[in-house]
Amino acid sequence: RQAYFRSDLSLLLERVGSGKESLSFMRRRMRRLAAQWAAAARRLDERLRGQYREQKRILVHVGFLTEESGDVFSPKVLKGGPLGEMVQWADILTTLHVLGHNLKISLSVKELQGSLGVPPGRGSCPLTGPLPFDLIYTDYHGLQQMKQHMGLSFRQHRCHIRVIDTFGTEPAYNNEEYATLHGYRTNWGYWNLNCKQYMTMFPHTPDNSFMGFVTEELNQTERFNIRRGKVNNMAVVYGKEASMWKGEEKLLTILHRYMDIHGTVYYEAQRPPEVPAFVRNHGLLPQQELQQLLRKAKLFLGFGFPYEGPAPLEAIANGCVFLQPKFSPPHSSLNHEFFRGKPTSREVSSQHPYTEQYIGKPHVITVDFNNSQEFEMAVQDILKEKVEPFIPYEYTCEGMLERVNAYIQHQDFCRHSSPFPTANESRSWPGNPPTPFLQLPNSTALIWAPNITAPACWPPLSALRLFLSSEDSSCVKTCQDAGLICEPSYFPFINNMEAFNGLNAQCESLEAEKNHVFPAVQVDSRECFQQKEPLLFSCAGVSAKHQRLCPCRDYLHGQVALCRDCL
Ligand code: UDP
């Protein structure tokens, strides 16, 4: 059946219900953004006209909001607890609904069992019959619950699952055997999924799919009003809890010499929060009122926590400059409590690396906050600068609809029993080469030879650009340096001798092993290694002793998840 865009959210709002504060928060958000979603759907519908979109049966099981997982979030919605996850789930549900799919929402293990057709109370009874859904969106909590309640059929059906995973999961942590043997085992990883099944809040490592969320957009009148209503010396501090402001009195005092400082720190009537007396604290605000405050403010100031939340994008969308600390050395699961146990080695270079890397000046200023002179100069520069509201396309409703639609129509992790061809299949091309690769003129990169039929793949192999990294460089970085992005779906097609030869790797020998930096060349011995375990193909992997084979592709301006030929 064909999917048709929907602009009316009433059915969705009804399904979400309002039994808890978290659900009410999500409903309020959906209602507030309804017109924006409808307009985006109209535009995308127009652009995709003529394209057949299949309607999918989709189950959304929000594990972290189930009582069975302890639901620690709902009681803190009005008390300064994290709201980013709620923002993202509200937007995911809206996207799936607006795209016209057949949606079922589950917020308890009982509903999950009902939806899957597992008799309640039967523990890990396997499903009889086929899975009644094409796709299941859930989170790590939900994954655990599904495994528990689907028994053996979990393995069989897991290719249909998508895991909403804020900070991302890297291949070395995802492959159970490898993680256990090599010290990458965490509380979260080791599910042996295709890493593209993990969907992140920001485009972290391209090993995962970037899901994202949306930022409220401005119409012409609102833009005009913002330009008129900006108060040049007004700053808002990022942080709903007083603990996020702790130890920052010195910088606040410097800032206060130039600007009036506002905060939105939660507090209980009897106990005002411990922030300096010159701060005007509004208490936790409803999202809409926070937007109003940001429309007036010139500066949004982060002190390093929370990491990678939605609020900086909202501030930038409302014409604020986001001033944030650079982390040197970067924070990661190796050196910071917050990231410890998360299934990623990603190095976080500032409070919000996405805004630093993808948006940058004049909207985002990243400086060393330990150097108060540098901080003060940044404030002075911000006061002089005139900055327009800005939203990257991928964080608009249209951008999110476009991206998620492409995933739903093209990503298929069930096609092979293993998500990739086996090591043998990908070892070499059948028959004698003509090699499938050609050197790109004036470049070290290889491309797919146009006269050789490309195997079916999404993103299409026409976008492939193959590089040899320098040692100690990941494929994330190698592709980035070439103005491209690493594309892990291409690894199976470059895991062969032809690729090594094409890149002039001068292999002394060729072997296949399980290692998350392979395919690669060992620098001192010129031994070449293919990847033996397809689940270990990794953009993020890095090794001081190896030069890696890196499959890269182009991306659309403002929509890094998609290439030119992806739509
Ligand atoms: N927010 C809000 N009221 C406030 C402060 C923040 O509604 O007083 C919202 C904000 O609009 C954002 C969400 O909280 O969409 C999450 O913000 P944050 O970036 O702090 O991330 P979190 O740590 O909560 O996930």
Side-chain angles (χ1 to χ4, degrees):
R1 283 187 51 191
Q2 173 136 13
Y4 295 101
F5 282 99
R6 298 191 186 105
S7 53
D8 182 0
L9 300 189
S10 40
L11 190 65
L12 174 67
L13 290 165
E14 200 179 296
R15 293 219 175 130
V16 170
S18 56
K20 331 174 169 204
E21 212 40 69
S22 47
L23 302 180
S24 305
F25 176 89
M26 282 165 36
R27 273 164 56 106
R28 282 197 296 276
R29 178 173 176 84
M30 289 169 173
R31 244 194 241 114
R32 208 175 56 252
L33 300 187
Q36 188 176 315
W37 282 109
R42 259 194 317 276
R43 285 194 299 268
L44 187 63
D45 192 13
E46 204 120 290
R47 279 177 40 215
L48 298 182
R49 188 122 300 165
Q51 230 183 65
Y52 177 80
R53 298 189 305 112
E54 193 178 313
Q55 187 188 46
K56 306 278 183 181
R57 299 160 303 161
I58 300 181
L59 172 67
V60 179
H61 175 64
V62 191
F64 83 105
L65 292 182
T66 60
E67 293 304 320
E68 291 84 353
S69 76
D71 187 11
V72 291
F73 282 72
S74 299
K76 297 190 86 181
V77 168
L78 299 177
K79 298 188 172 181
L83 295 174
E85 277 82 356
M86 247 79 78
V87 165
Q88 194 186 22
W89 278 104
D91 295 350
I92 292 169
L93 284 166
T94 315
T95 299
L96 299 174
H97 173 83
V98 170
L99 285 174
H101 296 291
N102 188 343
L103 205 58
K104 184 139 198 167
I105 303 171
S106 146
L107 296 161
S108 69
V109 168
K110 207 167 143 202
E111 284 173 294
L112 174 69
Q113 288 175 319
S115 304
L116 292 174
V118 177
R122 293 271 304 277
S124 62
C125 183
L127 288 187
T128 50
L131 186 72
F133 299 98
D134 302 305
L135 283 168
I136 301 177
Y137 289 84
T138 190
D139 53 15
Y140 266 121
H141 292 284
L143 205 55
Q144 189 68 47
Q145 292 167 344
M146 268 188 253
K147 186 175 176 193
Q148 219 166 8
H149 295 279
M150 284 164 81
L152 287 178
S153 45
F154 177 80
R155 261 182 94 87
Q156 181 193 342
H157 297 307
R158 68 181 167 190
C159 61
H160 298 276
I161 298 174
R162 307 290 183 266
V163 184
I164 304 305
D165 170 18
T166 308
F167 296 97
T169 297
E170 290 175 5
Y173 297 79
N174 167 62
N175 183 233
E176 182 172 19
E177 184 194 317
Y178 190 76
T180 310
L181 283 174
H182 296 91
Y184 294 104
R185 180 126 188 167
T186 63
N187 290 337
W188 300 106
Y190 67 83
W191 285 89
N192 294 315
L193 300 179
N194 180 320
C195 271
K196 280 276 183 192
Q197 288 174 264
Y198 299 102
M199 308 189 103
T200 55
M201 189 133 174
F202 290 92
H204 300 313
T205 167
D207 291 306
N208 303 140
S209 299
F210 158 50
M211 168 56 83
F213 59 96
V214 305
T215 307
E216 285 181 56
E217 291 160 46
L218 304 169
N219 59 32
Q220 284 305 327
T221 327
E222 286 164 336
R223 266 180 161 321
F224 179 74
N225 288 343
I226 285 187
R227 223 171 276 151
R228 276 198 343 190
K230 272 278 170 218
V231 180
N232 201 41
N233 67 343
M234 175 174 165
V236 175
V237 171
Y238 183 15
K240 299 187 281 281
E241 282 187 20
S243 62
M244 298 167 182
W245 300 48
K246 267 231 151 63
E248 306 296 350
E249 291 75 10
K250 189 172 161 201
L251 295 185
L252 284 167
T253 307
I254 295 175
L255 179 63
H256 184 55
R257 291 213 285 270
Y258 300 90
M259 301 180 94
D260 291 334
I261 305 177
H262 295 244
T264 64
V265 181
Y266 168 74
Y267 65 98
E268 282 169 12
Q270 313 81 328
R271 268 205 287 150
E274 289 170 29
V275 295
F278 53 75
V279 172
R280 174 134 186 248
N281 185 33
H282 300 260
L284 188 73
L285 292 176
Q287 273 201 311
Q288 195 168 12
E289 288 178 36
L290 176 68
Q291 302 288 327
Q292 297 306 327
L293 194 68
L294 293 172
R295 280 177 195 188
K296 282 208 230 140
K298 178 71 184 285
L299 169 67
F300 190 60
L301 171 65
F303 281 128
F305 196 83
Y307 297 106
E308 307 182 311
L313 285 186
E314 294 167 4
I316 296 162
N318 284 299
C320 298
V321 175
F322 177 47
L323 175 59
Q324 62 160 350
K326 186 188 279 306
F327 296 152
S328 177
H331 296 185
S332 76
S333 53
L334 299 178
N335 65 10
H336 259 258
E337 203 42 51
F338 180 84
F339 287 105
R340 191 153 296 149
K342 294 201 167 37
T344 170
S345 310
R346 188 164 60 90
E347 298 201 317
V348 178
S349 56
S350 60
Q351 180 171 9
H352 208 298
Y354 174 84
T355 59
E356 180 188 3
Q357 190 189 330
Y358 286 87
I359 302 180
K361 283 181 179 166
H363 307 278
V364 183
I365 311 287
T366 307
V367 299
D368 176 8
F369 278 21
N370 294 321
N371 181 340
S372 42
Q373 233 173 345
E374 208 178 300
F375 175 83
E376 186 162 359
M377 264 156 51
V379 173
Q380 289 169 344
D381 287 347
I382 289 165
L383 282 170
K384 283 184 231 140
E385 190 99 36
K386 238 185 150 46
V387 176
E388 290 290 315
F390 176 71
I391 306 180
Y393 176 69
E394 55 207 357
Y395 283 97
T396 63
C397 291
E398 189 179 339
M400 181 157 179
L401 288 168
E402 176 185 73
R403 176 171 68 251
V404 177
N405 177 60
Y407 291 153
I408 291 178
Q409 299 303 323
H410 298 291
Q411 284 185 331
D412 180 356
F413 306 113
C414 299
R415 233 183 358 215
H416 306 276
S417 50
S418 135
F420 299 109
T422 64
N424 285 343
E425 275 170 340
S426 59
R427 177 158 300 197
S428 200
W429 292 95
N432 264 340
T435 166
F437 304 108
L438 268 187
Q439 180 117 33
L440 200 62
N442 305 324
S443 161
T444 48
L446 301 185
I447 56 168
W448 192 267
N451 57 341
I452 303 227
T453 317
C457 175
W458 190 85
L461 276 165
S462 55
L464 168 70
R465 299 287 178 274
L466 178 59
F467 290 84
L468 192 61
S469 81
S470 40
E471 56 245 60
D472 215 6
S473 182
S474 70
C475 289
V476 174
K477 173 144 194 327
T478 302
C479 297
Q480 218 167 56
D481 290 348
L484 301 166
I485 185 147
C486 177
E487 179 48 68
S489 331
Y490 295 157
F491 271 116
F493 306 107
I494 60 131
N495 189 30
N496 51 50
M497 194 61 204
E498 290 83 350
F500 282 109
N501 285 343
L503 288 167
N504 203 14
Q506 297 171 350
C507 301
E508 289 288 333
S509 64
L510 182 68
E511 273 176 68
E513 277 185 23
K514 293 181 187 178
N515 185 317
H516 72 288
V517 303
F518 293 167
V521 192
Q522 185 153 347
V523 180
D524 50 11
S525 64
R526 300 315 299 173
E527 283 173 280
C528 292
F529 291 96
Q530 288 174 282
Q531 179 59 262
K532 202 169 166 184
E533 170 49 67
L535 289 177
L536 288 175
F537 284 129
S538 162
C539 292
V542 56
S543 150
K545 296 190 190 128
H546 293 92
Q547 287 183 279
R548 307 194 50 201
L549 265 58
C550 295
C552 313
R553 65 159 165 83
D554 66 286
Y555 57 86
L556 297 176
H557 182 66
Q559 181 74 292
V560 71
L562 302 178
C563 63
R564 231 172 308 145
D565 296 339
C566 279
L567 289 171

